[in-house]
C-alpha cells in the first residue's frame, strides 16, 4: 500500500504507474493538476482520492490510454 499526502508538485512522478503489485493507493490533499495514469495497475484493489482541488478533468489518460488510441470497438480492462 502507498499513501501520498500533501504532495506539492504539479504532477505525480511517472514511476507511480509502474508499481504493478500495488494493491492500495491513497492520494490525499495533493496540489497536482493531473491525476497519474493508474489504469494499468492490475493489482490495484482500493483507490482513495481526497481533496485534490486542482484536478479539473479526469480523462482517458487516467486509465493509461493514450489520447486518440481508442475506438468505439476497443475493449480496455483496467484495475
Amino acid at each position: 500500500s502507498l499513501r501520498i499526502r500533501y504532495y506539492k508538485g504539479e504532477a505525480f512522478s511517472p514511476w507511480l504507474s509502474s508499481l504493478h503489485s500495488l494493491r492500495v493507493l491513497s492520494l490525499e490533499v495533493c496540489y497536482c493538476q493531473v491525476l497519474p495514469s493508474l489504469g494499468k495497475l492490475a493489482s490495484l484493489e482500493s483507490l482513495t482520492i481526497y481533496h485534490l482541488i486542482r484536478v479539473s478533468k479526469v480523462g482517458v489518460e487516467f486509465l493509461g490510454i493514450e489520447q486518440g488510441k481508442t475506438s468505439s470497438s476497443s475493449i480496455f480492462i483496467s484495475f
Side-chain angles (χ1 to χ4, degrees):
S1 68
L2 174 64
R3 181 168 71 169
I4 299 174
R5 297 183 78 195
Y6 301 107
Y7 178 66
K8 294 185 179 182
E10 290 185 20
F12 289 99
S13 180
W15 61 261
L16 189 60
S17 299
S18 68
L19 301 175
H20 302 292
S21 297
L22 187 65
R23 294 175 59 193
V24 178
L25 175 61
S26 182
L27 306 174
E28 304 172 9
V29 195
C30 298
Y31 298 92
C32 298
Q33 297 177 359
V34 178
L35 290 172
S37 296
L38 300 176
K40 293 184 180 177
L41 299 180
S43 298
L44 195 61
E45 297 174 0
S46 174
L47 173 63
T48 301
I49 299 173
Y50 172 74
H51 203 73
L52 273 69
I53 60 172
R54 292 189 179 174
V55 173
S56 60
K57 176 185 126 181
V58 178
V60 295
E61 56 278 347
F62 173 71
L63 296 174
I65 301 171
E66 294 179 37
Q67 193 75 358
K69 299 281 183 170
T70 62
S71 68
S72 60
S73 63
S74 295
I75 296 174
F76 186 81
I77 299 172
S78 64
F79 59 84

